[in-house]
Amino acid sequence: MRESKLRFWGVYITGIVTLILLSVHFFMLFANNLNFDNRISTPVVDEYLSNSAYYSLLGLLLVVAFIHGLLGVRRSLYDFGLKKGVKDVIIGGIIILLILLFFYFTT
């Protein structure tokens, strides 16, 4: 299989998985009749996050959406016609920036 087909299917597969996981997330959020202020209260959020399956699905949603987004950025960079080294530096910079932001906000 050519790389272009792998990227094409990678974008579509990650997009479909993101849509499915996002649907599960929205279903979990809106399955009860709480208003917004009650839904974001600490006891309700702790109750949702105590469910390890749901917590794992949220993590998987973040990872798959991140991969889907990076594949889209990569495809856009190829459409601009930049040289390969420039594209690699931009993608690497984005990945490093997001990793640093992750550690900054989680510590």
Side-chain angles (χ1 to χ4, degrees):
M1 204 177 234
R2 291 188 353 229
E3 182 184 351
S4 61
K5 285 188 179 182
L6 287 174
R7 275 188 270 125
F8 173 79
W9 286 109
V11 170
Y12 278 107
I13 289 172
T14 57
I16 291 169
V17 171
T18 300
L19 180 65
I20 291 168
L21 292 174
L22 198 57
S23 300
V24 170
H25 173 61
F26 283 149
F27 176 77
M28 288 292 291
L29 285 178
F30 299 113
N32 55 22
N33 291 329
L34 295 176
N35 63 14
F36 182 75
D37 291 331
N38 290 336
R39 188 177 291 126
I40 62 170
S41 66
T42 303
V44 174
V45 171
D46 288 342
E47 180 185 337
Y48 279 122
L49 295 180
S50 66
N51 183 350
S52 60
Y54 178 63
Y55 191 69
S56 300
L57 284 176
L58 283 180
L60 185 62
L61 171 64
L62 290 175
V63 169
V64 173
F66 177 71
I67 292 170
H68 179 74
L70 277 182
L71 287 173
V73 168
R74 185 173 185 255
R75 185 72 241 156
S76 297
L77 290 175
Y78 276 107
D79 290 343
F80 281 124
L82 299 173
K83 294 182 181 178
K84 182 171 175 35
V86 175
K87 287 183 265 195
D88 293 341
V89 168
I90 291 172
I91 292 292
I94 291 171
I95 290 172
I96 290 171
L97 176 67
L98 291 174
I99 289 171
L100 290 174
L101 286 172
F102 172 78
F103 284 117
Y104 176 74
F105 286 118
T106 57
T107 56

